[in-house]
C-alpha cells in the first residue's frame, strides 16, 4: 500500500497532507487506505486500480456480471467473499477441469490468500488470481443475492412429478397442482417482485435453445437478470396466462391480457403479451406501477418555458394537444399527468386507448378492439355522443381518425392524442400528409409535445468530473444556440465540470436512479399559422419555433446535464447518433 500511495503522490494525484490525513482516517474507521481514497473521491476507482495493477504486476479484470455463470458465483461461501473481498469470476483459461479465475480486491492480503488456499483444497478446485475493483465485487455479490438465489430455492422444491405436470400442459391439460400448489406460483411471484423492486418497466421471459432467460428493462436499458432451466418454461407461461385470463392451450398465435397483484402492500398492474418464437412462447410483461407511472405535472421535467406554454394550452376551452415520440418515451405518462389536472367534477373526460395502462378515478376509459371493428375512429364517433369536455385518443393512425380529431377540436372539445414523428415540428407536415386541410391546423392545434426519456443520476453517488475537450466543446456549442431567454440563466463554471455516474448500493451499482423527460414544445402563434398555410416545410417550421423560444430536446438535455440531473452520454444516446 505504501508504494501505491507514493506513486499517487509522485503523479500529483494526492498531496502530502491528504496522505497523512487518510492514514489517520483509515486507522480511526478501521478501513484500508484504498477505501478512504475512494470514499473521498480523491481519485477514481478505475485510476486507483489500474495503478495498483501496474505496481503489483497482476492483471486487472473488467467484469461483466451478466456473463458470470451462477455456478461460478457460488463456488465459495458468501461469507468468504464478503470477508476476504474475493469471488470466482470465470472458468480457468488453462483448459483444466475445476479450474477458475479468482478475482481479489486485495491480493496482497496474506490472510485472504491463506483462506483461498484452504477453500480450494476443501472444494477441490485450482485457481489463478486477478485483480478486481470493489465496485465490480459489489455487483457480483448483488448478482449472487438477486432473484437467481430465490428461484433456485424454488427449483429445488419442484417435485419429481413436475415432469408429468409439464407433460400434461404440453398436451393442453392444466393440472390443478400447477395452479394451486406448485412452486411455479412462488417462482413467478419472485420474478414479479424483483422487477418491481428493481424499478423495471418491462419483464421479458424468453425461451432459448437450452435455457429460459429473464430480462428486465430498467431505465430504458435491458439487463439479463436470470437464467432458468428450459423445463420450467411451459409452467411459467401457463401460470402467467392463467393470471391474465389468456388461453393456456393456445401457443400458435400472439395473445394479450393483463392482471393485477399486490406486491409489498401495493396494487401493481401487469400488461401481458405472448409471442410465438422458434423455441416457444416469449412472454412480455409491462409493469404498470402507479407510484412511478402516474406523476404530477411538475415532476415530468419540463423546463420553465415549456411548462408555462403547456399550462396555458390546457386552460383553453378547446383545441388539440398532440404528443410525439417513439414507443417507451413517456407519452402516456405525460398525457395522464395533464388528464389529472383536467379531471374535475364539472368535466366529463372520455378516452379511447390501446391499451388502457392506468385506471384513473373520474375518467371514462375505453379499450379499442380492432378484431371486432372497434377502432380509434369508431370509438371517437361514439365518444362525441357521450357529451365530453375532454377527449383522449390513444393514437392518430389514419386519415379518418386525423379528420375526426380535427373536427372534435373545432366543435369545442379539448383533444389529446399521439402521432408518430421524430420531432414536434414534424407533426404539422405529417397531419397534412394524412389529409388534414392546412387552414384547419392553426385554429385547432394548441401545442405539440415531443419527448424522450433519459436516466437520472443517482443523487447518493454521483461525482463531479472534468470532462474531455470533446465534451466541453459539445456543451459550449449547444449553449451558444440556446434562445436568449434561456441563455441568460445559464451559469458556466470555470473550469467546466459535469457529473458522472459512479454506482452504489442504493442504485444497484448502475449509477442511475429513475428517469426524466427531455421535451420539445411547439406552440401555435400567428407567424407559425401564416407559414402553415403558405409553405409548411419542416425546416421553416423549426426556424420559426426557435425564434419564439422553443428548446430542442438536446438543448433541454444540456441544461439538465449542467444541473447535475443526468450525463452527456444519456442526452446523446436519446437525441442523436454520435460518439462522445
Amino acid at each position: 500500500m505504501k508504494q501505491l500511495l507514493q506513486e499517487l503522490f509522485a503523479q500529483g494525484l494526492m498531496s502530502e497532507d491528504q496522505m497523512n490525513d487518510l492514514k489517520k482516517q483509515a486507522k480511526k474507521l478501521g478501513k484500508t487506505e484504498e477505501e478512504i481514497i475512494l470514499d473521498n473521491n480523491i481519485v477514481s476507482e478505475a485510476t486507483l486500480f489500474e495503478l495498483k495493477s501496474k505496481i503489483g504486476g497482476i492483471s486487472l479484470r473488467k467484469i461483466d456480471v451478466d456473463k458470470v455463470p451462477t455456478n461460478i458465483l457460488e463456488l465459495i461461501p458468501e461469507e468468504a467473499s464478503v470477508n476476504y473481498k474475493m469471488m470466482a469470476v470465470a472458468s480457468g483459461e488453462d483448459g483444466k477441469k475445476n479450474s477458475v479465475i479468482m478475482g481479489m480486491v486485495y491480493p496482497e492480503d496474506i490472510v485472504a490468500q491463506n483462506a483461498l488456499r484452504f477453500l480450494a483444497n476443501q472444494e477441490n478446485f485450482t485457481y489463478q488470481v486477478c485483480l478486481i475493483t470493489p465496485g465490480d465485487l459489489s455487483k457480483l455479490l448483488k448478482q449472487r443475492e438477486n432473484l437467481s438465489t430465490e428461484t433456485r430455492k424454488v427449483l429445488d422444491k419442484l417435485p419429481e412429478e413436475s415432469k408429468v405436470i409439464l407433460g400434461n400442459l404440453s398436451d393442453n391439460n392444466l393440472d390443478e397442482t400447477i395452479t394451486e400448489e406448485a412452486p411455479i406460483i412462488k417462482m413467478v411471484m419472485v420474478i414479479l417482485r424483483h422487477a418491481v423492486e428493481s424499478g423495471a418497466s418491462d419483464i421479458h421471459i424468453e425461451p432459448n435453445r437450452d435455457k429460459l432467460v429473464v430480462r428486465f428493462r430498467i431505465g430504458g436499458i435491458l439487463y439479463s437478470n436470470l437464467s432458468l432451466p428450459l423445463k420450467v418454461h411451459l409452467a411459467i407461461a401457463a401460470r402467467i396466462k392463467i393470471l391474465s385470463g389468456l388461453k393456456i392451450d393456445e401457443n400458435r398465435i400472439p395473445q394479450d391480457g393483463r392482471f393485477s397483484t399486490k406486491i409489498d402492500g401495493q396494487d401493481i398492474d401487469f400488461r401481458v403479451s405472448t409471442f410465438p418464437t422458434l423455441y416457444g412462447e416469449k412472454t412480455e410483461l409491462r409493469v404498470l406501477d402507479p407510484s412511478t407511472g402516474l406523476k404530477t405535472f411538475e415532476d415530468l421535467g419540463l423546463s420553465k418555458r415549456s411548462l408555462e406554454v403547456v399550462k396555458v394550452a390546457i386552460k383553453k376551452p378547446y383545441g388539440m394537444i398532440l404528443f410525439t415520440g417513439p414507443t417507451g418515451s413517456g407519452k402516456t405518462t405525460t398525457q395522464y399527468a395533464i388528464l389529472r389536472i383536467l379531471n374535475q367534477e364539472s368535466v366529463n373526460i372520455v378516452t379511447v386507448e390501446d391499451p388502457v395502462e392506468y385506471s384513473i378515478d373520474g375518467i371514462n376509459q375505453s379499450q379499442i378492439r380492432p378484431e371486432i371493428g372497434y377502432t380509434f375512429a369508431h370509438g371517437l364517433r361514439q365518444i362525441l355522443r357521450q357529451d365530453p369536455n375532454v377527449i383522449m385518443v390513444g393514437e392518430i393512425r389514419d386519415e379518418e381518425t386525423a379528420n375526426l380529431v380535427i373536427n372534435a377540436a373545432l366543435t369545442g372539445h379539448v383533444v389529446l392524442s399521439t402521432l408518430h414523428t421524430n420531432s414536434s415540428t414534424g407533426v404539422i407536415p405529417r397531419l397534412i400528409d394524412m389529409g388534414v386541410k392546412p387552414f384547419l391546423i392553426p385554429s385547432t392545434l394548441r401545442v405539440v409535445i415531443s419527448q424522450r426519456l433519459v436516466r437520472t443520476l443517482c443523487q447518493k453517488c454521483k461525482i463531479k468530473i472534468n470532462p474531455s475537450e470533446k465534451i466541453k466543446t459539445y456543451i459550449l456549442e449547444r449553449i451558444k444556440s440556446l434562445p436568449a431567454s434561456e441563455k441568460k440563466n445559464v451559469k458556466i463554471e470555470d473550469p467546466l465540470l459535469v457529473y458522472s455516474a459512479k454506482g452504489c448500493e442504493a442504485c444497484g451499482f448502475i449509477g442511475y436512479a429513475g428517469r426524466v423527460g427531455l421535451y420539445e414544445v411547439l406552440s401555435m402563434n400567428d407567424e407559425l399559422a401564416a407559414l402553415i398555410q403558405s409553405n409548411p416545410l419542416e425546416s421553416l417550421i423549426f426556424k420559426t419555433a426557435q425564434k419564439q423560444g422553443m428548446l430542442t430536446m438536446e438543448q433541454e438535455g444540456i441544461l439538465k446535464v449542467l444541473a447535475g440531473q443526468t450525463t452527456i452520454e444519456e442526452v446523446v444516446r436519446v437525441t442523436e447518433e454520435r460518439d462522445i
Side-chain angles (χ1 to χ4, degrees):
M1 186 64 208
K2 186 177 179 182
Q3 191 178 354
L4 180 59
L5 294 178
Q6 289 173 344
E7 187 64 30
L8 288 169
F9 176 73
Q11 292 191 18
L13 297 172
M14 183 185 294
S15 67
E16 191 171 353
D17 289 341
Q18 282 178 313
M19 285 177 62
N20 294 329
D21 187 49
L22 73 88
K23 286 178 182 177
K24 290 177 185 176
Q25 284 190 55
K27 189 173 182 181
K28 181 181 178 181
L29 299 173
K31 292 185 174 183
T32 66
E33 284 93 340
E34 288 175 22
E35 288 174 320
I36 301 298
I37 288 169
L38 295 175
D39 287 346
N40 290 280
N41 295 321
I42 295 171
V43 296
S44 70
E45 186 179 81
T47 300
L48 182 65
F49 274 77
E50 282 170 8
L51 199 57
K52 183 173 178 176
S53 170
K54 183 179 176 183
I55 292 170
I58 182 170
S59 64
L60 175 64
R61 191 179 186 99
K62 185 63 183 171
I63 306 297
D64 184 346
V65 293
D66 291 334
K67 293 183 179 178
V68 182
T70 306
N71 64 312
I72 295 291
L73 283 176
E74 297 181 344
L75 182 65
I76 64 173
E78 186 176 1
E79 295 80 5
S81 293
V82 173
N83 291 336
Y84 301 111
K85 309 295 183 191
M86 63 184 181
M87 185 172 275
V89 296
S91 299
E93 294 170 353
D94 54 10
K96 294 180 181 177
K97 190 178 180 182
N98 297 333
S99 172
V100 296
I101 295 173
M102 187 65 61
M104 302 183 75
V105 176
Y106 303 113
E108 69 277 10
D109 185 345
I110 301 301
V111 176
Q113 287 283 5
N114 289 337
L116 178 56
R117 276 194 289 272
F118 172 78
L119 289 167
N121 289 331
Q122 190 178 48
E123 301 295 335
N124 192 29
F125 65 84
T126 60
Y127 62 88
Q128 301 164 282
V129 173
C130 69
L131 184 66
I132 60 173
T133 65
D136 280 346
L137 177 66
S138 296
K139 290 177 186 176
L140 289 165
L141 286 168
K142 186 173 179 65
Q143 180 79 347
R144 175 175 178 150
E145 292 169 3
N146 75 2
L147 70 167
S148 60
T149 303
E150 291 193 53
T151 50
R152 183 166 293 100
K153 291 176 184 175
V154 174
L155 282 171
D156 291 340
K157 293 177 183 177
L158 276 174
E160 283 299 315
E161 309 87 75
S162 63
K163 292 180 182 178
V164 177
I165 293 169
L166 292 169
N168 289 339
L169 278 174
S170 62
D171 292 333
N172 303 332
N173 270 321
L174 178 64
D175 193 295
E176 286 299 317
T177 51
I178 282 290
T179 58
E180 298 298 334
E181 300 169 4
I184 288 295
I185 294 175
K186 188 180 289 186
M187 184 181 295
V188 170
M189 284 307 299
V190 165
I191 293 171
L192 299 181
R193 191 180 74 252
H194 275 275
V196 172
E197 290 174 351
S198 301
S201 62
D202 296 86
I203 305 166
H204 294 254
I205 302 173
E206 304 166 332
N208 291 340
R209 184 187 297 273
D210 54 0
K211 61 184 176 181
L212 184 67
V213 177
V214 179
R215 298 195 290 171
F216 294 166
R217 187 178 293 280
I218 303 172
I221 309 294
L222 265 178
Y223 297 93
S224 292
N225 287 76
L226 177 66
S227 292
L228 294 170
L230 195 57
K231 67 179 183 179
V232 301
H233 170 233
L234 286 173
I236 287 177
R239 176 61 185 163
I240 294 171
K241 284 180 177 181
I242 290 166
L243 288 170
S244 47
L246 303 181
K247 297 177 182 177
I248 61 168
D249 59 346
E250 178 57 80
N251 54 22
R252 299 164 299 170
I253 59 173
Q255 296 187 74
D256 293 310
R258 64 187 298 147
F259 66 91
S260 179
T261 189
K262 268 195 188 300
I263 294 178
D264 296 332
Q266 186 173 6
D267 287 322
I268 307 292
D269 289 338
F270 294 88
R271 193 179 80 212
V272 179
S273 173
T274 67
F275 186 77
T277 69
L278 183 62
Y279 299 110
E281 277 184 298
K282 176 185 183 297
T283 307
E284 201 277 347
L285 296 92
R286 171 66 58 88
V287 183
L288 304 173
D289 185 349
S291 64
T292 58
L294 292 176
K295 295 186 177 181
T296 65
F297 203 55
E298 286 70 20
D299 291 337
L300 294 174
L302 286 150
S303 67
K304 185 179 178 182
R305 181 261 175 193
S306 298
L307 188 61
E308 289 172 356
V309 167
V310 177
K311 280 185 173 180
V312 168
I314 62 178
K315 288 178 182 176
K316 302 284 185 183
Y318 67 93
M320 286 194 304
I321 301 174
L322 295 184
F323 302 81
T324 182
T327 302
S329 61
K331 299 188 297 296
T332 301
T333 300
T334 307
Q335 284 179 299
Y336 282 177
I338 292 175
L339 286 179
R340 290 172 79 189
I341 294 174
L342 298 172
N343 188 14
Q344 300 171 19
E345 190 176 344
S346 60
V347 177
N348 180 22
I349 302 176
V350 187
T351 76
V352 55
E353 306 173 55
D354 184 27
V356 175
E357 294 204 358
Y358 298 98
S359 173
I360 305 176
D361 289 340
I363 296 179
N364 305 286
Q365 297 170 269
S366 180
Q367 163 80 50
I368 70 163
R369 299 190 182 280
E371 67 273 13
I372 59 172
Y374 182 37
T375 61
F376 281 124
H378 185 265
L380 185 50
R381 285 198 197 91
Q382 296 304 315
I383 283 176
L384 293 172
R385 298 171 188 171
Q386 292 289 319
D387 185 32
N389 301 106
V390 179
I391 299 168
M392 187 179 99
V393 181
E395 185 182 341
I396 300 173
R397 293 179 178 173
D398 50 44
E399 182 177 342
E400 184 182 13
T401 308
N403 282 295
L404 284 168
V405 164
I406 290 285
N407 288 329
L410 277 173
T411 53
H413 303 92
V414 175
V415 182
L416 282 66
S417 191
T418 65
L419 198 64
H420 280 293
T421 62
N422 291 323
S423 65
S424 59
T425 52
V427 164
I428 293 167
R430 177 74 178 129
L431 286 172
I432 295 171
D433 287 343
M434 295 179 84
V436 176
K437 299 290 189 293
F439 70 88
L440 293 174
I441 295 175
S443 57
T444 54
L445 185 61
R446 298 289 179 225
V447 161
V448 180
I449 302 172
S450 182
Q451 66 184 89
R452 303 288 188 277
L453 291 176
V454 291
R455 294 181 292 174
T456 50
L457 283 163
C458 174
Q459 298 303 302
K460 293 187 177 179
C461 67
K462 67 178 184 180
I463 55 173
K464 270 192 174 182
I465 62 166
N466 192 354
S468 66
E469 287 301 318
K470 192 174 182 181
I471 290 178
K472 284 181 184 177
T473 303
Y474 177 84
I475 291 173
L476 293 173
E477 282 178 356
R478 270 64 188 175
I479 290 172
K480 283 181 186 177
S481 66
L482 284 171
S485 58
E486 291 288 345
K487 195 184 296 184
K488 66 182 181 183
N489 297 322
V490 178
K491 294 179 182 178
I492 304 297
E493 296 179 355
D494 189 18
L496 175 61
L497 299 174
V498 296
Y499 284 92
S500 177
K502 181 185 177 184
C504 66
E505 190 172 348
C507 62
F509 302 96
I510 296 173
Y512 297 93
R515 288 192 289 178
V516 71
L518 301 183
Y519 297 90
E520 190 176 276
V521 179
L522 174 70
S523 178
M524 186 60 63
N525 61 12
D526 292 340
E527 187 180 357
L528 189 56
L531 181 63
I532 291 170
Q533 296 185 58
S534 61
N535 191 16
L537 289 175
E538 185 175 348
S539 57
L540 296 177
I541 293 170
F542 179 71
K543 288 178 182 177
T544 304
Q546 281 197 308
K547 269 198 262 180
Q548 65 176 336
M550 182 187 80
L551 286 173
T552 65
M553 285 179 281
E554 187 181 43
Q555 289 170 335
E556 268 216 356
I558 295 298
L559 295 179
K560 284 181 169 61
V561 168
L562 295 176
Q565 289 181 268
T566 189
T567 61
I568 198 70
E569 291 81 7
E570 273 297 290
V571 174
V572 171
R573 178 178 69 85
V574 302
T575 59
E576 59 180 294
E577 296 290 332
R578 183 178 297 193
D579 183 23
I580 290 293

